[in-house]
């Protein structure tokens, strides 16, 4: 792990400002707390206005304020508080099972934090914290960003494909641009640019491949300046997002059924699901089509396969998009995971 | 506006979201101005997009409409503009057009596109915090000040203590507002 002396904070106003800020925070900490500097400045991407990201890691206890912001002349300080136990849990989650199933359950905030800790510069490491911090390996962080970004790119691509099939070209283009952004983030993770914050994707591509090089333009044009129709954008993003077989199989194996007490009521324009005597859910579009099939006795695989063909969306993309769209039905008990 | 009467918890929830949105505006303005100065053109465009989305939600909320939050920022943006279209279809089309505009390849083109979007946010969407980094800091400080003031009258419920100032504890004080505004009095590297 780098130390404060290793990084080029410089002797200019910025360097002094950061040192003053860190000294102030460290001096107020209890003995069992560590203090880490991280974020875009440490990553080497930041500019004069970038915020100073500080992680304060307490040895134990509950935290009153998870986040604090401080204003300074040219920048602001973003100070996040966490416990050593929560970092150990994060390391367990990321390094214990790096399979695709675990990634599907991992929020972006965890991926982002894992990388930030892996590159963090300690201003102070409390006794007992070293072993935990050593678990945050940068190469593992880059692989995690690469894989998580690939999953997210696929999910956005799938949702964009279904929106395009539904005729909502604005929403489709928005999703497909975001899919291109995460596809770029995944490709950059593969070459060691693992900083997970999406807004920096273009700068990372410029740093790694040189701005306006062919590879830089290839990676960034589809989210910065896509050309052609949404259908053409969809085709290009599809070509850039290749699912590993294991992930493809995992997404295809997900399945759910209508809960036992749920009845399906067909309508014009939209259908309704009635759960017991207490809840009603209105469903439309492809979700209504699939629910209708489920109510008629089809399995999830049969229902999504037939409906995908009707909507002219590849079945894996359709299933991914439907899984996302039906999440509110699962969380409220209308659908049960099979 | 006439009178809007609502339960305290609803108001608090709404104002917390208003604070979050002004914080988003502030972070994006910091990014935008720092990136313009540093020649980080991709970040400039990403910050411009973030500003447009946050400003559209502030505008919609100012008209008394609360958009639905999506599962992620992409879905939230879609649902936001869908809701805006129900209220003002022409305005929603203008936001879509700005969001879908390709990033210019030249620096003057990029700066002009940023200026156009800023003018739209300030004039058409009526979001003053979009105009500059300092205005965004002021917008954020104003939103927190209101939240804290009302929360104090409500007995301290659900207030926002998640900020701090130089050499002070984040206690029950409101004079932080002057201190935040005091940071704006100094030279601004992004503008200087």
């Amino acid at each position: 792990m780098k130390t404060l002396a290793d990084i080029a904070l410089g002797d200019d106003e910025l360097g002094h400002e950061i040192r003053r800020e860190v000294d102030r925070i460290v001096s107020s900490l209890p003995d069992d707390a560590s203090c880490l500097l991280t974020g875009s400045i440490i990553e080497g991407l930041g500019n004069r206005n970038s915020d100073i990201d500080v992680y304060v890691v307490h040895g134990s206890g509950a935290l009153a304020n998870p986040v604090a912001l401080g204003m300074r002349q040219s920048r602001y300080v973003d100070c996040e508080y966490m416990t050593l136990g929560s970092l150990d849990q994060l390391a367990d989650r990321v390094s214990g099972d790096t399979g695709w199933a675990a990634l599907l359950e991992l929020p972006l905030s965890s991926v982002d934090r894992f990388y930030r800790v892996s590159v963090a510069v300690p201003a102070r490491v409390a006794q007992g914290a070293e072993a935990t911090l050593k678990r945050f390996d940068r190469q593992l962080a880059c692989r995690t960003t690469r894989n998580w970004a690939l999953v997210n790119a696929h999910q956005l691509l799938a949702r964009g494909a279904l929106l395009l099939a539904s005729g909502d070209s604005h929403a489709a283009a928005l999703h497909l641009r975001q899919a291109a952004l995460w596809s770029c983030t995944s490709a950059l993770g593969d070459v060691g640019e693992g900083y997970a914050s999406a807004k920096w994707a273009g700068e990372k591509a410029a740093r790694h491949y040189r701005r306006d090089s062919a590879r830089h333009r290839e990676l960034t044009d589809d989210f910065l300046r896509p050309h052609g129709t949404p259908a053409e954008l969809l085709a290009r993003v599809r070509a850039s997002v290749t699912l590993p077989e294991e992930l493809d199989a995992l997404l295809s194996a997900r399945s759910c059924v209508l809960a036992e007490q749920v009845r399906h009521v067909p309508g014009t324009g939209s259908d309704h699901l009635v759960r017991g005597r207490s809840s009603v859910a209105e469903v439309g579009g492809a979700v209504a089509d699939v629910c209708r099939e489920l109510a008629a006795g089809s399995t999830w695989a049969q229902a999504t396969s037939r409906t995908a063909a009707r909507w002219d969306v590849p079945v894996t993309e359709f299933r991914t998009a439907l899984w996302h769209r039906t999440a509110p039905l699962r969380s409220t008990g209308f659908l049960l995971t099979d | 506006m006439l009178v809007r009467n609502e339960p305290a918890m609803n108001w608090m929830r709404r104002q917390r979201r208003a604070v979050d949105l002004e914080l988003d505006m502030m972070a994006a303005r910091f990014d935008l101005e720092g990136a313009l100065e540093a020649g980080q053109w991709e970040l400039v465009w990403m910050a411009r997009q973030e500003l447009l989305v946050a400003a559209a939600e502030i505008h919609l909320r100012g008209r008394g409409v609360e958009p639905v939050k999506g599962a992620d920022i992409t879905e939230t943006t879609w649902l936001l503009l869908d809701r805006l279209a129900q209220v003002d279809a022409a305005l929603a089309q203008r936001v879509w057009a700005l969001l879908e505009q390709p990033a210019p390849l030249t620096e003057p083109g990029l700066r002009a596109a940023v200026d156009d979007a800023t003018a739209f946010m300030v004039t058409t969407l009526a979001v003053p915090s979009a105009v500059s980094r300092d205005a965004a800091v002021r917008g954020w400080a104003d939103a927190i000040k209101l939240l804290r003031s009302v929360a104090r009258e409500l007995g301290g419920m659900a207030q926002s203590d998640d900020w701090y100032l130089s050499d002070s504890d984040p206690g029950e004080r409101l004079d932080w507002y002057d201190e935040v505004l005091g940071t704006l009095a100094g030279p601004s590297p992004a503008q200087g």
Side-chain angles (χ1 to χ4, degrees):
Chain A
M1 193 174 251
K2 288 179 183 173
T3 68
L4 263 183
D6 295 328
I7 58 170
L9 289 178
D11 287 328
D12 60 1
E13 184 196 344
L14 171 62
H16 288 304
E17 191 177 332
I18 292 175
R19 284 195 179 87
R20 270 199 308 273
E21 193 64 37
V22 172
D23 287 346
R24 193 193 71 75
I25 292 170
V26 168
S27 68
S28 69
L29 294 178
D31 290 344
D32 73 337
S34 305
C35 179
L36 311 174
L37 261 71
T38 187
S40 61
I41 292 176
I42 299 302
E43 176 64 14
L45 291 165
N47 56 55
R48 278 168 57 90
N49 275 14
S50 293
D51 58 329
I52 301 172
D53 288 298
V54 179
Y55 284 177
V56 172
V57 185
H58 287 274
S60 60
L63 305 174
N65 296 319
V67 181
L69 280 183
M71 295 305 305
R72 299 295 174 267
Q73 292 289 339
S74 66
R75 64 182 69 246
Y76 59 98
V77 184
D78 189 347
C79 192
E80 292 187 41
Y81 298 87
M82 59 200 74
T83 62
L84 207 53
S86 72
L87 284 187
D88 267 321
Q89 283 171 7
L90 175 59
D92 288 344
R93 269 186 101 177
V94 173
S95 58
D97 183 358
T98 53
W100 294 106
L103 270 182
L104 285 172
E105 303 301 321
L106 200 63
L108 173 58
S109 56
S110 294
V111 179
D112 187 47
R113 177 166 290 182
F114 192 91
Y115 183 87
R116 285 171 185 251
V117 175
S118 81
V119 297
V121 172
R124 184 171 93 183
V125 177
Q127 202 170 15
E130 266 182 28
T132 298
L133 296 177
K134 276 185 182 162
R135 300 181 66 190
F136 287 75
D137 174 70
R138 186 175 175 279
Q139 284 188 325
L140 174 59
C142 287
R143 285 200 301 276
T144 305
T145 298
R146 176 195 67 190
N147 291 348
W148 193 94
L150 178 67
V151 171
N152 202 35
H154 166 71
Q155 292 182 341
L156 288 158
L157 159 68
R159 287 153 57 189
L162 184 56
L163 284 162
L164 192 60
S166 314
D168 193 337
S169 60
H170 283 311
L174 173 73
H175 282 73
L176 293 170
R177 280 177 86 146
Q178 289 293 312
L181 172 64
W182 284 102
S183 173
C184 168
T185 301
S186 178
L188 289 168
D190 199 37
V191 294
E193 291 280 0
Y195 197 53
S197 173
K199 71 182 178 185
W200 289 102
E203 303 309 323
K204 287 188 299 180
R207 174 167 75 177
H208 197 85
Y209 291 110
R210 191 174 53 78
R211 176 166 285 114
D212 293 331
S213 66
R215 184 60 176 151
H216 173 248
R217 292 289 301 272
E218 184 186 12
L219 284 172
T220 62
D221 272 6
D222 278 335
F223 66 85
L224 291 175
R225 52 186 74 84
H227 61 278
T229 64
E232 290 165 342
L233 176 58
L234 171 62
R236 289 197 302 275
V237 177
R238 257 186 198 141
S240 76
V241 179
T242 306
L243 291 190
E245 276 180 28
E246 188 192 341
L247 175 58
D248 196 329
L250 183 72
L251 295 172
S252 294
R254 293 191 297 194
S255 174
C256 57
V257 294
L258 283 180
E260 209 167 286
Q261 72 278 30
V262 171
R263 281 95 63 200
H264 172 259
V265 181
T268 51
S270 60
D271 293 358
H272 288 80
L273 299 177
V274 181
R275 186 166 64 88
R277 303 177 74 169
S278 58
S279 319
V280 178
E282 184 179 4
V283 292
V287 175
D289 289 355
V290 167
C291 287
R292 206 173 300 133
E293 293 261 4
L294 292 175
S298 297
T299 64
W300 176 263
Q302 293 165 337
T304 51
S305 179
R306 278 198 285 267
T307 314
R310 278 203 299 278
W311 283 78
D312 196 21
V313 175
V315 69
T316 302
E317 288 176 16
F318 187 83
R319 284 178 179 149
T320 300
L322 252 286
W323 196 259
H324 174 81
R325 284 209 185 168
T326 52
L329 295 176
R330 283 191 298 281
S331 66
T332 50
F334 286 91
L335 288 176
L336 296 177
T337 303
D338 206 1
Chain B
M1 188 175 75
L2 299 174
V3 173
R4 187 190 291 176
N5 185 5
E6 63 187 314
M9 280 308 291
N10 283 6
W11 186 92
M12 296 295 289
R13 203 174 294 119
R14 238 173 6 88
Q15 190 59 23
R16 283 307 297 250
R17 180 61 187 155
V19 169
D20 287 345
L21 285 167
E22 293 294 352
L23 180 58
D24 289 347
M25 296 291 294
M26 186 180 90
R29 275 304 323 187
F30 269 78
D31 277 342
L32 180 72
E33 293 180 22
L36 278 171
E37 187 188 46
Q40 295 176 318
W41 311 127
E42 292 80 10
L43 182 61
V44 167
W45 202 250
M46 302 301 280
R48 172 190 177 273
Q49 307 294 81
E50 281 181 42
L51 283 165
L52 278 166
V53 172
E57 182 168 344
I58 292 170
H59 173 84
L60 198 54
R61 286 176 172 274
R63 294 172 75 158
V65 181
E66 280 201 55
V68 180
K69 196 172 186 301
D72 53 30
I73 182 63
T74 312
E75 191 168 74
T76 297
T77 303
W78 168 35
L79 296 174
L80 163 70
L81 295 185
D82 201 45
R83 194 77 186 88
L84 182 61
Q86 292 167 13
V87 176
D88 188 335
L91 187 61
Q93 278 301 322
R94 291 185 66 186
V95 179
W96 274 121
L98 285 165
L99 285 176
E100 291 175 352
Q101 182 182 346
L105 282 164
T106 64
E107 183 186 338
L110 197 69
R111 288 183 183 275
V114 167
D115 289 345
D116 286 350
T118 303
F120 172 77
M121 288 185 276
V122 174
T123 308
T124 308
L125 294 180
V127 178
S129 53
V131 75
S132 68
R133 191 197 68 176
D134 286 359
V137 171
R138 198 171 288 113
W140 171 71
D142 284 343
I144 286 199
K145 183 184 183 188
L146 177 61
L147 178 67
R148 302 201 92 217
S149 301
V150 172
R152 194 175 56 175
E153 296 305 319
L154 290 169
M157 62 186 283
Q159 61 182 294
S160 175
D161 279 332
D162 49 1
W163 43 265
Y164 70 100
L165 295 160
S166 58
D167 305 319
S168 69
D169 296 323
E172 286 293 316
R173 41 183 291 202
L174 287 172
D175 57 345
W176 62 273
Y177 179 77
D178 295 328
E179 202 170 331
V180 168
L181 295 191
T183 67
L184 305 182
S188 166
Q191 294 177 329

